[in-house]
Amino acid sequence: PELRKIPGAELLLSHEVTGVTLGADEVTVEAATPAGPKIFKGDFLIAGDGRRSLVRQAPAIEIEGFTYF
């Protein structure tokens, strides 16, 4: 389904991930946004920001499934 049809899902453009931290039951993402730095927390993180992204290179993040390299 389209992202906008998924309850609670939000696509944020013009945001750059600057840090990722995995907790026991959540992931914390630090981002530079047009309004300044912001912190996001969630149950999971989708690494859809390119193969050289900070998300994919973050320590302790295991990418499941397949990727297009």
Side-chain angles (χ1 to χ4, degrees):
E2 295 175 20
L3 183 62
R4 65 179 169 213
K5 294 180 182 177
I6 300 172
E10 185 177 2
L11 178 61
L12 302 171
L13 302 176
S14 300
H15 286 56
E16 178 182 355
V17 175
T18 57
V20 177
T21 305
L22 289 178
D25 58 355
E26 72 179 8
V27 60
T28 301
V29 175
E30 298 169 43
T33 78
K38 190 168 180 180
I39 294 177
F40 300 91
K41 294 186 179 209
D43 295 331
F44 58 90
L45 174 63
I46 298 173
D49 55 343
R51 71 184 256 188
R52 293 187 183 116
S53 74
L54 181 71
V55 173
R56 291 178 184 268
Q57 295 174 13
I61 292 185
E62 182 179 326
I63 304 295
E64 295 181 18
F66 66 93
T67 60
Y68 293 99
F69 288 116

Coordinates of all heavy atoms in Angstrom, one line a residue:
P1 N 0.8 -1.2 0.0 CA 0.0 0.0 0.0 C 0.9 1.3 0.0 O 2.0 1.2 0.4 CB -0.8 -0.1 1.3 CG 0.0 -1.0 2.2 CD 0.8 -1.9 1.3
E2 N 0.3 2.3 -0.4 CA 1.0 3.6 -0.4 C 1.2 4.0 1.1 O 0.4 3.8 2.0 CB 0.1 4.7 -1.1 CG 0.0 4.4 -2.5 CD -1.0 5.4 -3.2 OE1 -1.2 6.5 -2.6 OE2 -1.5 5.1 -4.2
L3 N 2.4 4.6 1.3 CA 2.7 5.0 2.7 C 1.7 5.9 3.3 O 1.4 5.7 4.5 CB 4.1 5.8 2.7 CG 4.7 6.2 4.0 CD1 4.9 4.9 4.9 CD2 5.9 7.0 3.8
R4 N 1.1 6.8 2.6 CA 0.1 7.7 3.2 C -1.1 7.0 3.7 O -1.9 7.6 4.4 CB -0.2 8.9 2.2 CG -0.9 8.4 1.0 CD -1.2 9.6 0.1 NE -1.6 9.1 -1.2 CZ -1.3 9.7 -2.3 NH1 -0.7 10.9 -2.3 NH2 -1.8 9.2 -3.5
K5 N -1.4 5.8 3.2 CA -2.5 5.1 3.6 C -2.3 4.2 4.9 O -3.2 3.7 5.4 CB -3.0 4.1 2.5 CG -3.5 4.9 1.3 CD -3.9 3.9 0.2 CE -4.4 4.7 -1.0 NZ -4.8 3.8 -2.1
I6 N -1.1 4.2 5.4 CA -0.7 3.4 6.6 C -0.9 4.3 7.8 O -0.2 5.3 7.9 CB 0.7 2.8 6.5 CG1 0.8 1.9 5.2 CG2 1.0 2.1 7.7 CD1 2.3 1.5 5.0
P7 N -1.8 3.9 8.7 CA -2.0 4.7 9.9 C -0.7 4.9 10.7 O 0.1 4.0 10.9 CB -3.0 3.9 10.8 CG -3.6 3.0 9.8 CD -2.6 2.7 8.7
G8 N -0.4 6.2 11.0 CA 0.8 6.5 11.8 C 2.1 6.7 11.0 O 3.1 7.1 11.5
A9 N 2.0 6.4 9.7 CA 3.2 6.5 8.9 C 3.3 7.9 8.4 O 2.3 8.5 8.0 CB 3.2 5.5 7.7
E10 N 4.5 8.4 8.3 CA 4.7 9.8 7.8 C 6.0 9.8 7.0 O 7.1 9.3 7.4 CB 4.8 10.7 9.0 CG 4.9 12.2 8.6 CD 4.9 13.1 9.8 OE1 4.9 12.6 11.0 OE2 5.0 14.3 9.6
L11 N 6.0 10.4 5.8 CA 7.2 10.6 5.0 C 7.7 12.0 5.2 O 6.9 13.0 5.0 CB 6.9 10.4 3.5 CG 8.0 10.6 2.5 CD1 9.1 9.6 2.8 CD2 7.5 10.4 1.1
L12 N 8.9 12.2 5.7 CA 9.5 13.5 6.0 C 10.6 13.8 5.0 O 11.6 13.1 5.0 CB 10.1 13.5 7.4 CG 9.0 13.2 8.5 CD1 9.7 13.0 9.8 CD2 8.0 14.3 8.5
L13 N 10.4 14.8 4.1 CA 11.4 15.2 3.1 C 12.3 16.3 3.7 O 11.9 16.9 4.7 CB 10.7 15.7 1.9 CG 9.8 14.7 1.2 CD1 9.1 15.3 0.0 CD2 10.5 13.4 0.8
S14 N 13.4 16.5 3.1 CA 14.4 17.5 3.6 C 14.9 17.2 5.0 O 15.2 18.2 5.7 CB 13.8 18.9 3.5 OG 13.5 19.2 2.1
H15 N 15.0 16.0 5.4 CA 15.5 15.6 6.7 C 16.7 14.7 6.4 O 16.7 13.9 5.6 CB 14.5 14.7 7.5 CG 13.4 15.5 8.0 ND1 12.5 16.3 7.3 CD2 12.9 15.7 9.3 CE1 11.6 16.9 8.0 NE2 11.8 16.5 9.3
E16 N 17.8 14.9 7.2 CA 19.0 14.1 7.1 C 19.3 13.4 8.4 O 19.4 14.1 9.4 CB 20.2 15.0 6.7 CG 21.5 14.3 6.6 CD 22.7 15.2 6.3 OE1 22.5 16.4 6.1 OE2 23.8 14.7 6.3
V17 N 19.4 12.1 8.4 CA 19.7 11.3 9.6 C 21.2 11.6 10.0 O 22.1 11.6 9.2 CB 19.5 9.8 9.3 CG1 20.0 9.0 10.5 CG2 18.1 9.5 9.0
T18 N 21.3 12.0 11.2 CA 22.7 12.3 11.7 C 23.1 11.3 12.8 O 24.3 11.3 13.2 CB 22.7 13.8 12.3 OG1 21.7 13.9 13.3 CG2 22.5 14.8 11.2
G19 N 22.2 10.5 13.3 CA 22.5 9.5 14.3 C 21.4 8.5 14.5 O 20.3 8.8 14.3
V20 N 21.8 7.3 14.8 CA 20.9 6.2 15.0 C 21.3 5.4 16.3 O 22.5 5.1 16.4 CB 20.8 5.2 13.8 CG1 19.9 4.0 14.1 CG2 20.4 5.9 12.6
T21 N 20.4 5.2 17.2 CA 20.7 4.4 18.4 C 19.7 3.3 18.6 O 18.5 3.6 18.5 CB 20.7 5.3 19.6 OG1 21.6 6.4 19.4 CG2 21.1 4.5 20.9
L22 N 20.1 2.1 18.7 CA 19.2 1.0 19.0 C 19.1 0.7 20.5 O 20.1 0.6 21.1 CB 19.7 -0.3 18.3 CG 19.6 -0.4 16.8 CD1 20.2 -1.7 16.3 CD2 18.2 -0.2 16.3
G23 N 17.8 0.7 21.0 CA 17.6 0.4 22.3 C 17.0 -1.0 22.4 O 16.9 -1.7 21.4
A24 N 16.7 -1.5 23.6 CA 16.2 -2.8 23.8 C 14.8 -3.0 23.1 O 14.5 -4.0 22.6 CB 16.0 -3.1 25.3
D25 N 14.0 -1.9 23.1 CA 12.7 -2.0 22.5 C 12.3 -0.8 21.6 O 11.1 -0.6 21.3 CB 11.6 -2.2 23.6 CG 11.6 -1.1 24.6 OD1 12.5 -0.2 24.5 OD2 10.7 -1.1 25.5
E26 N 13.3 0.0 21.2 CA 13.0 1.1 20.3 C 14.2 1.5 19.6 O 15.4 1.2 20.0 CB 12.4 2.3 21.1 CG 13.4 3.0 22.0 CD 12.8 4.2 22.7 OE1 11.6 4.4 22.7 OE2 13.6 4.9 23.3
V27 N 14.0 2.3 18.5 CA 15.2 2.9 17.8 C 15.0 4.4 17.9 O 13.9 4.9 17.8 CB 15.2 2.4 16.3 CG1 13.9 2.8 15.6 CG2 16.4 3.0 15.6
T28 N 16.1 5.1 18.1 CA 16.1 6.6 18.2 C 16.9 7.1 17.0 O 18.0 6.6 16.7 CB 16.7 7.1 19.5 OG1 16.0 6.5 20.6 CG2 16.7 8.6 19.6
V29 N 16.3 8.1 16.3 CA 17.0 8.7 15.2 C 17.1 10.2 15.4 O 16.2 10.8 15.8 CB 16.1 8.4 13.9 CG1 16.7 9.2 12.7 CG2 16.0 7.0 13.6
E30 N 18.3 10.6 15.3 CA 18.6 12.1 15.3 C 18.6 12.6 13.9 O 19.2 11.9 13.0 CB 19.9 12.3 16.0 CG 20.0 11.9 17.4 CD 21.4 11.9 18.0 OE1 22.1 12.9 17.7 OE2 21.8 10.9 18.6
A31 N 18.0 13.7 13.6 CA 18.0 14.2 12.3 C 18.1 15.7 12.2 O 17.7 16.4 13.1 CB 16.6 13.8 11.6
A32 N 18.7 16.2 11.1 CA 18.8 17.6 10.8 C 17.6 17.9 10.0 O 17.4 17.3 8.9 CB 20.1 18.0 10.1
T33 N 16.7 18.9 10.4 CA 15.5 19.2 9.7 C 15.5 20.7 9.3 O 16.4 21.4 9.8 CB 14.3 18.9 10.5 OG1 14.1 20.0 11.5 CG2 14.4 17.6 11.2
P34 N 14.7 21.1 8.4 CA 14.6 22.5 8.1 C 14.3 23.4 9.3 O 14.7 24.6 9.3 CB 13.5 22.6 7.1 CG 13.4 21.2 6.4 CD 13.8 20.3 7.5
A35 N 13.7 22.8 10.3 CA 13.4 23.6 11.5 C 14.5 23.4 12.6 O 14.3 23.9 13.7 CB 12.0 23.2 12.1
G36 N 15.6 22.7 12.3 CA 16.6 22.4 13.3 C 16.7 21.0 13.6 O 15.9 20.2 13.1
P37 N 17.6 20.6 14.6 CA 17.7 19.2 15.0 C 16.5 18.7 15.6 O 15.8 19.4 16.3 CB 18.9 19.3 16.0 CG 19.6 20.6 15.8 CD 18.5 21.5 15.2
K38 N 16.2 17.4 15.4 CA 15.0 16.8 16.0 C 15.3 15.3 16.2 O 16.1 14.7 15.6 CB 13.8 16.9 15.0 CG 12.5 16.5 15.6 CD 11.4 16.9 14.7 CE 10.0 16.4 15.3 NZ 8.9 16.8 14.5
I39 N 14.7 14.8 17.3 CA 14.8 13.4 17.6 C 13.5 12.6 17.4 O 12.4 13.1 17.8 CB 15.3 13.2 19.1 CG1 16.7 13.8 19.3 CG2 15.2 11.8 19.6 CD1 17.2 13.8 20.7
F40 N 13.6 11.5 16.8 CA 12.4 10.6 16.5 C 12.7 9.3 17.2 O 13.8 8.8 17.2 CB 12.3 10.4 15.0 CG 12.1 11.6 14.2 CD1 13.2 12.3 13.7 CD2 10.8 12.2 13.9 CE1 13.0 13.5 12.9 CE2 10.7 13.3 13.2 CZ 11.8 14.0 12.7
K41 N 11.6 8.7 17.7 CA 11.7 7.4 18.3 C 10.6 6.5 17.7 O 9.5 7.0 17.4 CB 11.5 7.5 19.8 CG 12.7 8.2 20.5 CD 12.6 8.2 22.0 CE 13.8 8.9 22.6 NZ 14.2 8.4 23.8
G42 N 10.9 5.2 17.6 CA 9.9 4.3 17.0 C 10.2 2.9 17.3 O 11.3 2.6 17.9
D43 N 9.3 2.0 16.9 CA 9.5 0.6 17.1 C 10.5 0.0 16.1 O 11.2 -1.0 16.3 CB 8.2 -0.2 17.0 CG 7.3 0.2 18.1 OD1 7.7 0.5 19.2 OD2 6.0 0.1 17.9
F44 N 10.6 0.6 14.9 CA 11.5 0.1 13.9 C 11.8 1.3 13.0 O 11.3 2.4 13.0 CB 10.9 -1.0 13.1 CG 9.6 -0.7 12.4 CD1 9.5 -0.2 11.1 CD2 8.4 -0.9 13.1 CE1 8.3 0.1 10.5 CE2 7.2 -0.6 12.5 CZ 7.1 -0.1 11.2
L45 N 12.9 1.1 12.1 CA 13.3 2.1 11.2 C 13.5 1.4 9.8 O 14.1 0.4 9.7 CB 14.7 2.6 11.7 CG 15.4 3.6 10.7 CD1 14.6 4.8 10.5 CD2 16.8 3.9 11.3
I46 N 12.9 2.0 8.8 CA 13.1 1.6 7.4 C 14.2 2.3 6.8 O 14.2 3.5 6.7 CB 11.8 1.8 6.6 CG1 10.6 1.0 7.3 CG2 12.0 1.4 5.2 CD1 9.3 1.3 6.7
A47 N 15.2 1.5 6.3 CA 16.4 2.1 5.7 C 16.2 2.3 4.2 O 16.6 1.5 3.4 CB 17.6 1.2 6.0
G48 N 15.5 3.3 3.9 CA 15.2 3.6 2.5 C 15.9 4.8 2.0 O 15.3 5.5 1.1
D49 N 17.1 5.1 2.5 CA 17.7 6.3 2.1 C 19.1 6.1 1.4 O 19.9 7.0 1.4 CB 18.0 7.1 3.4 CG 18.7 6.4 4.5 OD1 18.7 5.1 4.4 OD2 19.2 7.0 5.4
G50 N 19.2 5.0 0.7 CA 20.4 4.8 -0.1 C 21.4 3.9 0.5 O 21.5 3.8 1.7
R51 N 22.2 3.3 -0.4 CA 23.1 2.2 0.1 C 24.3 2.8 0.9 O 24.9 2.1 1.7 CB 23.6 1.4 -1.0 CG 24.6 2.1 -2.0 CD 24.9 1.2 -3.1 NE 26.3 0.7 -3.0 CZ 26.9 0.1 -3.9 NH1 26.3 -0.2 -5.0 NH2 28.1 -0.4 -3.7
R52 N 24.6 4.0 0.8 CA 25.7 4.6 1.5 C 25.2 5.5 2.7 O 25.9 6.3 3.3 CB 26.6 5.5 0.6 CG 27.3 4.7 -0.5 CD 28.2 5.6 -1.3 NE 28.8 4.8 -2.3 CZ 28.7 5.0 -3.6 NH1 27.9 6.0 -4.0 NH2 29.3 4.2 -4.5
S53 N 24.0 5.2 3.1 CA 23.4 6.0 4.2 C 23.9 5.7 5.5 O 24.4 4.6 5.8 CB 21.9 5.8 4.1 OG 21.6 4.6 4.7
L54 N 23.7 6.7 6.4 CA 24.1 6.5 7.8 C 23.3 5.4 8.4 O 23.8 4.6 9.3 CB 23.9 7.8 8.6 CG 24.3 7.7 10.1 CD1 25.8 7.7 10.2 CD2 23.7 8.9 10.8
V55 N 22.0 5.2 8.1 CA 21.2 4.2 8.6 C 21.8 2.8 8.3 O 21.9 2.0 9.2 CB 19.7 4.3 8.1 CG1 18.9 3.1 8.5 CG2 19.1 5.6 8.5
R56 N 22.1 2.6 7.1 CA 22.7 1.3 6.7 C 24.0 1.0 7.3 O 24.5 -0.1 7.4 CB 22.7 1.1 5.2 CG 21.3 1.1 4.6 CD 21.4 1.0 3.1 NE 20.1 1.0 2.5 CZ 19.3 -0.1 2.3 NH1 19.8 -1.3 2.5 NH2 18.1 0.0 1.7
Q57 N 24.8 2.0 7.6 CA 26.1 1.9 8.1 C 26.2 1.9 9.7 O 27.2 1.7 10.2 CB 27.0 3.0 7.6 CG 27.2 2.9 6.1 CD 28.0 4.0 5.5 OE1 28.6 4.8 6.2 NE2 27.9 4.2 4.2
A58 N 25.1 2.2 10.3 CA 25.1 2.3 11.8 C 25.4 0.9 12.4 O 25.0 -0.1 12.0 CB 23.7 2.7 12.2
P59 N 26.3 1.0 13.4 CA 26.7 -0.2 14.1 C 25.4 -0.9 14.7 O 24.5 -0.3 15.1 CB 27.6 0.2 15.3 CG 27.8 1.7 15.0 CD 26.8 2.2 14.0
A60 N 25.5 -2.3 14.7 CA 24.5 -3.1 15.3 C 23.1 -3.1 14.6 O 22.2 -3.7 15.1 CB 24.2 -2.7 16.8
I61 N 23.1 -2.5 13.4 CA 21.8 -2.6 12.6 C 22.0 -3.7 11.6 O 22.9 -3.6 10.7 CB 21.5 -1.3 11.9 CG1 21.1 -0.3 13.0 CG2 20.3 -1.5 10.9 CD1 20.6 1.0 12.5
E62 N 21.2 -4.8 11.7 CA 21.3 -5.9 10.7 C 20.2 -5.6 9.7 O 19.0 -5.5 10.0 CB 21.0 -7.2 11.5 CG 21.1 -8.4 10.6 CD 20.9 -9.7 11.4 OE1 21.3 -9.7 12.6 OE2 20.3 -10.6 10.8
I63 N 20.6 -5.7 8.4 CA 19.6 -5.5 7.4 C 19.0 -6.9 7.0 O 19.8 -7.7 6.6 CB 20.3 -4.8 6.1 CG1 20.9 -3.5 6.5 CG2 19.3 -4.7 5.0 CD1 20.0 -2.4 6.9
E64 N 17.7 -7.0 7.2 CA 17.1 -8.3 6.9 C 16.6 -8.3 5.4 O 16.3 -7.2 4.9 CB 16.0 -8.6 7.8 CG 16.4 -8.8 9.2 CD 15.3 -9.1 10.2 OE1 14.2 -9.5 9.7 OE2 15.5 -8.9 11.4
G65 N 16.4 -9.4 4.8 CA 15.9 -9.5 3.5 C 17.0 -9.2 2.5 O 18.2 -9.5 2.7
F66 N 16.6 -8.7 1.3 CA 17.6 -8.4 0.3 C 17.7 -6.9 0.1 O 16.8 -6.1 0.5 CB 17.2 -9.1 -1.0 CG 15.9 -8.6 -1.6 CD1 16.0 -7.5 -2.6 CD2 14.7 -9.1 -1.2 CE1 14.8 -7.1 -3.1 CE2 13.5 -8.6 -1.8 CZ 13.6 -7.6 -2.7
T67 N 18.8 -6.4 -0.5 CA 19.0 -5.0 -0.8 C 19.4 -4.9 -2.3 O 19.9 -5.9 -2.8 CB 20.0 -4.4 0.1 OG1 21.3 -5.1 -0.1 CG2 19.6 -4.5 1.5
Y68 N 19.2 -3.8 -2.9 CA 19.7 -3.5 -4.2 C 21.0 -2.7 -4.1 O 21.0 -1.6 -3.8 CB 18.6 -2.7 -5.0 CG 17.4 -3.4 -5.2 CD1 16.2 -3.2 -4.4 CD2 17.3 -4.3 -6.3 CE1 15.1 -3.9 -4.7 CE2 16.1 -5.0 -6.5 CZ 15.0 -4.8 -5.7 OH 13.8 -5.4 -6.0
F69 N 22.1 -3.4 -4.4 CA 23.4 -2.8 -4.4 C 23.9 -2.7 -5.8 O 23.9 -3.5 -6.6 CB 24.4 -3.5 -3.5 CG 24.1 -3.3 -2.1 CD1 23.8 -4.4 -1.3 CD2 24.2 -2.0 -1.5 CE1 23.5 -4.2 0.1 CE2 23.9 -1.9 -0.1 CZ 23.6 -2.9 0.6

